[in-house]
C-alpha cells in the first residue's frame, strides 16, 4: 500500500509539472503571436490614407443592404447613460481578458481540444491582420452623426489623439471583438458538456451589440469577422478532438488534483 501511495504521489507530481510547463509554453507562444499581430497593426497604421473614404463606402454599402442604421441605434441608447457606460466597460474589459481566461482553462483542462482552438484563433487573427492592412477603415466614432462614447464618458481605451495613439485606430475591419467572442462561444459549446454551455452565446451577441452601440465598429466589421471565422472552422473541427477529454484510466490521478 505504501508503494502504491508513493507511485500515486509520483504520478501527481509528474502531471503537475507537465501542466505547468504546458501553460508556460502556450503563454510564450500566444504572447509571441500577439506581438507579431501588434507589429502588423503598426505597419497597417502607416497606410491609413483611404480610411475615411472606406468608411463612407461601408456606410453606403450597408445602406444598400438595408442594414439597421447604427447612428439611430446609438442615439436611442444614449438616452440611457448607464447602458452606454456598461457597454464601454464591456468593450474595454471583457474582450481580451475573457479570451485569455478561456484559453488558459482549455490548456489545463482540455489540452487536446485546446490546440484546435489555439490555431483557429491564430488563423482568424492573421486573416484579420490582412484586412487591417488591405482595408484601413475609420470606425463609426470618427464619422459625422456618431458619438465617441468612450470619450464622452471618460472611458476611452484609445484617447482623443488619433495620430499619436500607439494603437491603430483604423483597424476596424474586420472586428476581432466579434470574431474572438464568436469563436470562444462556439468552442465552449462544442467542448464542454454542461447544460448551461449555451449561455456562451450571450457573449458574441452582447459583444456585437456593444461594438455598434459604442460606435467602435460597423455591422459589416462584425459580419466579415463571422465569415472569416466560418472559413477557419476546419481548423477548429479537425480530427474530432473537441470532445476528447483528458484520459481517465483506473490508475490515473484526477486532473482536479494536479494544480493543488
Amino acid at each position: 500500500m505504501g508503494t502504491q501511495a508513493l507511485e500515486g504521489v509520483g504520478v501527481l507530481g509528474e502531471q503537475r509539472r507537465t501542466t505547468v510547463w504546458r501553460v508556460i509554453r502556450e503563454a510564450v507562444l500566444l504572447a509571441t503571436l500577439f506581438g507579431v499581430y501588434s507589429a502588423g497593426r503598426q505597419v497597417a497604421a502607416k497606410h491609413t490614407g483611404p480610411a475615411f473614404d472606406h468608411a463612407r463606402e461601408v456606410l453606403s454599402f450597408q445602406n444598400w443592404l438595408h442594414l439597421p442604421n447604427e447612428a439611430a441605434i446609438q442615439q436611442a441608447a444614449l438616452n440611457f447613460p448607464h447602458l452606454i457606460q456598461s457597454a464601454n466597460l464591456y468593450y474595454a474589459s471583457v474582450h481580451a481578458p475573457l479570451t485569455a481566461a478561456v484559453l488558459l482553462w482549455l490548456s489545463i483542462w482540455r489540452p487536446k481540444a485546446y490546440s484546435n482552438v489555439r490555431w483557429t484563433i491564430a488563423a482568424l487573427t492573421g486573416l484579420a491582420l490582412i484586412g487591417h492592412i488591405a482595408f484601413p477603415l475609420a470606425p463609426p466614432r470618427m464619422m459625422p452623426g456618431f458619438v465617441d462614447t468612450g470619450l464622452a464618458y471618460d472611458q476611452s481605451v484609445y484617447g482623443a489623439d488619433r495620430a499619436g495613439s500607439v494603437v491603430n485606430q483604423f483597424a476596424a475591419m474586420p472586428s476581432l471583438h466579434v470574431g474572438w467572442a464568436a469563436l470562444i462561444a462556439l468552442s465552449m459549446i462544442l467542448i464542454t458538456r454542461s447544460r448551461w454551455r449555451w449561455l456562451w452565446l450571450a457573449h458574441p451577441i452582447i459583444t456585437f451589440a456593444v461594438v455598434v452601440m459604442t460606435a467602435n465598429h460597423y455591422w459589416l466589421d462584425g459580419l466579415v469577422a463571422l465569415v472569416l471565422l466560418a472559413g477557419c472552422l476546419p481548423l477548429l473541427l479537425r480530427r474530432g478532438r473537441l470532445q476528447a477529454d483528458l484520459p481517465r484510466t483506473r490508475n490515473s490521478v484526477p486532473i482536479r488534483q494536479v494544480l493543488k
Side-chain angles (χ1 to χ4, degrees):
M1 183 176 296
T3 302
Q4 291 179 346
L6 289 175
E7 290 177 350
V9 172
V11 172
L12 179 61
E14 181 63 27
Q15 288 191 357
R16 181 185 292 116
R17 285 190 294 272
T18 300
T19 300
V20 169
W21 279 113
R22 183 173 63 247
V23 170
I24 293 174
R25 180 191 66 206
E26 294 300 331
V28 171
L29 175 60
L30 290 175
T32 301
L33 292 173
F34 184 76
V36 172
Y37 169 71
S38 298
R41 280 177 64 108
Q42 291 307 308
V43 171
K46 299 178 181 179
H47 305 279
T48 57
F52 287 94
D53 290 335
H54 288 164
R56 286 185 281 270
E57 291 171 4
V58 167
L59 287 170
S60 177
F61 184 59
Q62 290 186 161
N63 186 54
W64 181 77
L65 291 175
H66 298 289
L67 293 177
N69 185 280
E70 293 112 327
I73 292 173
Q74 186 188 56
Q75 286 301 318
L78 286 170
N79 293 317
F80 306 92
H82 292 301
L83 175 62
I84 293 295
Q85 290 174 322
S86 297
N88 287 335
L89 185 62
Y90 197 94
Y91 179 84
S93 305
V94 175
H95 169 58
L98 181 59
T99 302
V102 169
L103 290 174
L104 176 62
W105 186 88
L106 289 173
S107 70
I108 296 173
W109 305 111
R110 299 291 189 275
K112 292 183 179 179
Y114 165 77
S115 65
N116 289 25
V117 179
R118 177 230 287 149
W119 291 122
T120 305
I121 200 170
L124 175 61
T125 304
L127 291 174
L129 180 58
I130 295 173
H132 300 336
I133 296 173
F135 195 79
L137 178 65
R141 65 178 184 275
M142 296 182 182
M143 300 300 290
F146 291 90
V147 175
D148 187 334
T149 61
L151 287 178
Y153 289 93
D154 196 25
Q155 294 175 293
S156 176
V157 296
Y158 301 111
D161 186 0
R162 301 170 186 173
S165 174
V166 296
V167 179
N168 179 10
Q169 298 193 53
F170 299 98
M173 171 69 78
S175 169
L176 277 181
H177 272 74
V178 173
W180 283 10
L183 173 58
I184 291 302
L186 179 61
S187 299
M188 294 301 287
I189 289 170
L190 292 174
I191 293 168
T192 61
R193 297 186 176 89
S194 168
R195 71 178 69 177
W196 303 105
R197 68 187 186 278
W198 295 101
L199 292 177
W200 279 101
L201 289 174
H203 179 41
I205 292 172
I206 292 173
T207 298
F208 214 145
V210 161
V211 298
V212 170
M213 195 185 309
T214 58
N216 280 295
H217 286 285
Y218 305 94
W219 292 119
L220 209 58
D221 299 341
L223 294 175
V224 169
L226 295 178
V227 170
L228 293 179
L229 175 58
C232 295
L233 286 184
L235 289 173
L236 182 66
L237 304 175
R238 63 193 171 99
R239 292 183 292 188
R241 298 176 67 183
L242 291 185
Q243 292 296 336
D245 291 337
L246 293 175
R248 297 295 185 89
T249 63
R250 185 173 57 184
N251 296 322
S252 67
V253 178
I255 188 63
R256 289 180 175 81
Q257 297 181 18
V258 172
L259 297 180
K260 287 184 178 180

